[in-house]
């Protein structure tokens, strides 16, 4: 048995069945796993992963192991671990997992340190907490690390800030920025699972509700799209003119958050920003307003201030906390302001994670082959990997597309022919 810290190993059989279910919708990762098992491209590599411990991550961990890597895994959010999956990875896949759903801040970081204790050569992050812990507290481990990968927008922003300030210690490939990642995972994955998380937590009817989406990036547009199709009246708040304009042209009402707070029934932030909803907003919300976040960190809602403004707070359902303001009005915060799709639902559906994690697996292989040519910077996923994943996904879905003829290829590379 590997080293581990999970909630309960007796949950392993349930986790095994759930990972099996996820793998049915992950055909691209399955093809990669088969090749990895034959070629062992990750042989001798110790891979430290700080990812949401979900069924899909279970499938990825198995793929990386099939490729010859030793895998150590901790959670990238205190509330996103699926304890049955963590148990199954330890028991059935011999993978060192350090993750318990609901772990406190101290345990969260001690689990990251447990992964680092295993001397990873490659880091796989979702939010950059593993890299930042290595840089801040465990610099003695840096010489052994050849590179890393990053799964999410917020992590890429943090890593670019590290590169800009010259503190990034090894090359990183930004998996989030691959088209086969953010165009699908952030949009359709976060879109569906965020609305799913809000509904599972509250059982409220979307139809007829006023749903306020803050941030019209890839995640925000996915949530807006799904909420609208379920009958909600969707309001978008933004800070970037281009994104706001897209939301207007997509048919949404766009206004400042200060104007949206008195009319919204349900609020969801997906900005990657801090204090998007704060004191002056909570003060103006309707009695019974529901507030959630699906951006990476729990800083988008100023919950500390909300607590200070409240005379009473109590848990009223799983993942629903009621804050009663001094005025008597009540505000309901979902999942402690953490990613609601992972806190109250199961995270992204497997079919989109198939592409995100195919990127992770192929990029890990690429990093092993090319790390010596790379510098301490944040790199894009090579376009050939992105295209190959799109091709494999279409093939797995049974979708055929046209091919350029010789004449079309020549035409598209020429300039002579005009009107
Ligand atoms: N819940 C999940 O499973 C999940 C999945 C993928 C990404 N994420 C996270 O979701 C967040 C958004 O990701 P994305 O890919 O959509 O990023 P993005 O950069 O495409 O979009 C973010 C948008 O928020 C806007 N914004 C910033 N500050 C704002 C403010 N104060 N008010 C209103 N809008 C503001 C930006 O202008 C931008 O358009 C990130 O933190 C990312 O890491 C979560």
């Amino acid at each position: 048995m590997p080293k581990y810290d999970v909630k309960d190993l007796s949950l392993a059989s349930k986790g095994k069945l759930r990972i099996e279910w996820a793998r049915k919708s992950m055909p691209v990762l399955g093809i990669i796993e088969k090749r990895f098992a034959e070629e062992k491209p990750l042989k001798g590599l110790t891979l430290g992963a700080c990812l949401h411990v979900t069924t899909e991550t279970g499938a990825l961990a198995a793929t990386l192991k099939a490729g010859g890597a030793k895998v150590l895994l901790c959670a990238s959010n205190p509330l996103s671990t699926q304890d049955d999956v963590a148990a199954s990875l330890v028991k059935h896949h011999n993978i060192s997992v350090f993750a318990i759903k609901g772990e406190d801040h101290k345990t969260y970081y001690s689990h990251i340190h447990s992964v680092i204790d295993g001397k990873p050569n490659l880091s796989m992050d979702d939010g950059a907490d593993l890299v930042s812990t290595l840089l801040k507290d465990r610099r003695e481990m840096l010489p052994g690390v050849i590179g890393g990968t990053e799964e999410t927008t917020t992590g890429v922003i943090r890593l670019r800030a590290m590169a800009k300030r010259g503190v990034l210690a090894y090359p990183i490939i930004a998996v989030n920025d691959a088209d086969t990642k953010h165009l699908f995972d952030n949009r359709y994955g976060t879109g569906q699972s965020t609305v799913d998380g809000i509904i599972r937590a509250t059982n409220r009817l979307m139809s007829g509700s006023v749903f306020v989406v803050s941030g019209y990036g890839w995640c925000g547009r996915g949530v807006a799209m799904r909420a609208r199709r379920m009958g909600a009246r969707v309001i978008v708040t933004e800070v970037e003119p281009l994104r706001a304009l897209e939301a207007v042209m997509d048919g949404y009402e766009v206004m400042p958050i200060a104007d949206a707070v008195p009319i919204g029934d349900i609020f969801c932030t997906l900005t990657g920003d801090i204090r998007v909803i704060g004191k002056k907003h909570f003060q103006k919300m309707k009695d019974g307003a529901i507030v959630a976040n699906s951006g990476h960190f729990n800083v988008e809602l100023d919950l500390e201030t909300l607590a200070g403004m409240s005379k009473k707070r109590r848990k009223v359902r799983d993942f629903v906390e009621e804050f009663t303001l001094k005025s008597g009005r009540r505000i309901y915060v979902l999942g402690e302001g953490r990613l609601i799709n992972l806190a109250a639902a199961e995270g992204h559906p497997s079919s989109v994670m198939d592409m995100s994690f195919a990127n992770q697996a192929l990029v890990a292989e690429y990093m092993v082959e090319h790390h010596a040519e790379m510098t301490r910077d944040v790199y894009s996923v090579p376009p050939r990997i992105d295209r190959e994943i799109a091709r494999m996904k279409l093939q797995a879905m049974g979708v055929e597309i046209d091919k350029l003829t010789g004449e079309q290829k020549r035409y598209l590379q020429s300039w002579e022919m005009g009107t």
Side-chain angles (χ1 to χ4, degrees):
M1 201 71 98
K3 281 190 183 166
Y4 66 89
D5 186 19
V6 300
K7 187 175 178 198
D8 181 359
L9 273 192
S10 72
L11 299 171
S13 51
K14 186 177 168 211
K16 184 170 183 242
L17 283 173
R18 290 183 60 246
I19 294 171
E20 198 182 300
W21 179 254
R23 286 167 88 133
K24 284 187 208 303
S25 301
M26 302 181 82
V28 176
L29 196 64
I31 294 167
I32 296 168
E33 181 174 359
K34 211 166 154 208
R35 177 171 70 74
F36 272 19
E38 284 159 17
E39 299 175 6
K40 302 276 176 214
L42 308 181
K43 194 161 181 248
L45 191 79
T46 299
L47 208 149
C50 179
L51 300 172
H52 301 302
V53 181
T54 62
T55 51
E56 295 79 19
T57 300
L60 172 64
T63 302
L64 298 169
K65 204 169 163 235
K70 180 180 171 199
V71 181
L72 302 137
L73 174 65
C74 62
S76 55
N77 185 291
L79 270 191
S80 64
T81 298
Q82 296 171 6
D83 292 315
D84 53 352
V85 171
S88 172
L89 288 175
V90 172
K91 192 164 173 187
H92 303 119
H93 297 270
N94 211 27
I95 287 172
S96 282
V97 184
F98 306 92
I100 298 171
K101 183 162 180 138
E103 61 196 9
D104 60 20
H105 188 261
K106 195 168 156 226
T107 313
Y108 174 78
Y109 276 99
S110 82
H111 283 159
I112 291 182
H113 279 279
S114 299
V115 165
I116 297 173
D117 290 341
K119 303 189 176 95
N121 313 116
L122 199 128
S123 63
M124 200 170 261
D125 249 309
D126 187 329
D129 280 347
L130 182 54
V131 175
S132 56
T133 305
L134 269 165
L135 287 185
K136 278 194 262 182
D137 306 326
R138 301 295 299 273
R139 297 195 67 82
E140 79 282 5
M141 294 297 192
L142 288 173
V145 186
I146 61 165
T149 69
E150 172 52 56
E151 173 76 7
T152 198
T153 316
T154 285
V156 173
I157 290 170
R158 294 179 80 193
L159 290 158
R160 291 225 161 93
M162 290 175 200
K164 203 169 163 198
R165 288 182 206 167
V167 295
L168 188 64
Y170 53 83
I172 299 280
I173 298 184
V175 164
N176 180 72
D177 294 356
D179 286 341
T180 47
K181 199 281 183 180
H182 67 272
L183 292 181
F184 303 92
D185 167 316
N186 299 30
R187 181 166 34 174
Y188 303 112
T190 311
Q192 177 170 318
S193 60
T194 296
V195 174
D196 182 19
I198 292 171
I199 293 174
R200 286 199 209 190
T202 62
N203 196 27
R204 284 287 162 84
L205 185 69
M206 284 286 141
S207 230
S209 67
V210 179
F211 194 110
V212 181
V213 178
S214 287
Y216 201 64
W218 292 106
C219 294
R221 66 191 65 200
V223 172
M225 185 195 294
R226 292 292 167 252
R228 174 156 76 182
R229 295 209 178 137
M230 292 183 84
R233 177 183 150 204
V234 177
I235 295 173
V236 169
T237 77
E238 248 300 339
V239 292
E240 277 293 331
L242 193 73
R243 291 270 168 99
L245 187 59
E246 280 187 280
V248 172
M249 297 273 180
D250 287 342
Y252 298 104
E253 284 176 74
V254 176
M255 62 182 76
I257 184 72
D259 294 349
V261 280
I263 43 181
D265 298 308
I266 302 171
F267 295 82
C268 186
T269 50
L270 305 102
T271 68
D273 200 356
I274 191 165
R275 285 192 240 286
V276 177
I277 299 185
K279 186 170 185 178
K280 58 180 192 242
H281 308 123
F282 290 126
Q283 266 164 350
K284 287 196 188 153
M285 281 182 185
K286 287 199 276 196
D287 182 29
I290 290 169
V291 185
N293 166 53
S294 207
H296 189 78
F297 287 120
N298 62 339
V299 296
E300 303 209 15
L301 312 173
D302 187 354
L303 296 183
E304 229 171 272
T305 300
L306 178 62
M309 295 163 68
S310 304
K311 60 179 182 193
K312 194 173 142 202
R313 57 194 279 192
R314 59 178 183 144
K315 184 179 162 188
V316 291
R317 289 168 61 94
D318 284 347
F319 307 112
V320 184
E321 194 174 6
E322 180 187 72
F323 290 77
T324 307
L325 304 188
K326 285 161 193 153
S327 63
R329 274 179 298 117
R330 289 150 299 176
I331 292 171
Y332 295 95
V333 174
L334 307 188
E336 301 169 19
R338 298 190 189 278
L339 305 141
I340 192 59
N341 60 330
L342 284 140
E346 293 171 65
H348 295 18
S350 319
S351 180
V352 284
M353 293 315 293
D354 189 25
M355 289 187 279
S356 307
F357 285 168
N359 271 291
Q360 287 284 9
L362 295 182
V363 160
E365 180 184 33
Y366 179 90
M367 194 59 107
V368 169
E369 288 167 1
H370 295 276
H371 67 94
E373 304 145 27
M374 300 166 87
T375 58
R376 299 167 177 198
D377 210 344
V378 180
Y379 290 82
S380 302
V381 173
R384 69 162 173 82
I385 291 184
D386 221 351
R387 282 174 66 93
E388 178 59 7
I389 291 170
R391 191 195 60 76
M392 287 196 283
K393 188 70 175 175
L394 280 173
Q395 195 177 25
M397 294 169 91
V399 178
E400 290 183 29
I401 59 170
D402 289 318
K403 281 199 173 71
L404 290 173
T405 63
E407 183 196 20
Q408 288 169 338
K409 275 187 197 161
R410 283 192 299 280
Y411 175 73
L412 291 171
Q413 286 166 11
S414 69
W415 60 271
E416 291 86 352
M417 204 190 294
T419 315

